[in-house]
Amino acid sequence: MRPVFLTAFTTVLGLMPMVMSMNVDLVGRSISFGAPSTQWWTQLASAIVGGLSFATLLTLALTPCLLVLGDNLSNGLQRLRQGSSPSRPQLDSGNRFQHSLGRA
């Protein structure tokens, strides 16, 4: 979970200058905002940041929640098919677990 978050976070952080239309001129040693050369890159960086943030949220939050929900529903349906509350296995004299319905 941590590597996914850290990778997404550093990518989004690295794209922030592009999202804010920052133009860095290394030769002239100046930083400007809203230069004509940044217009296309701003849209591209915004799409990448938005998509990556949304995908990371789905991966780290929604996917585990849906997996737990599916497991809980499966267990609930299994209990309904058995017709009663969940029974606990009991240890019989032969050192084997025996189900309370009488099956080994």
Side-chain angles (χ1 to χ4, degrees), residues 31-81:
I31 297 175
S32 62
F33 289 92
S37 63
T38 63
Q39 291 175 359
W40 186 77
W41 293 107
T42 300
Q43 295 173 3
L44 180 66
S46 298
I48 292 172
V49 166
L52 186 61
S53 300
F54 184 69
T56 302
L57 179 68
L58 289 179
T59 302
L60 296 180
L62 189 63
T63 301
C65 291
L66 290 178
L67 288 172
V68 169
L69 179 66
D71 189 45
N72 288 343
L73 287 175
S74 174
N75 290 339
L77 288 174
Q78 198 172 31
R79 286 186 208 141
L80 284 175
R81 286 185 194 138

Side-chain angles (χ1 to χ4, degrees), residues 3-53:
V4 172
F5 176 73
L6 288 175
T7 303
F9 181 72
T10 55
T11 303
V12 168
L13 196 62
L15 286 172
M16 275 300 140
M18 275 193 218
V19 170
M20 296 185 304
S21 302
M22 182 184 287
N23 189 26
V24 179
D25 183 13
L26 296 176
V27 176
R29 295 183 182 218
S30 66
I31 297 175
S32 62
F33 289 92
S37 63
T38 63
Q39 291 175 359
W40 186 77
W41 293 107
T42 300
Q43 295 173 3
L44 180 66
S46 298
I48 292 172
V49 166
L52 186 61
S53 300

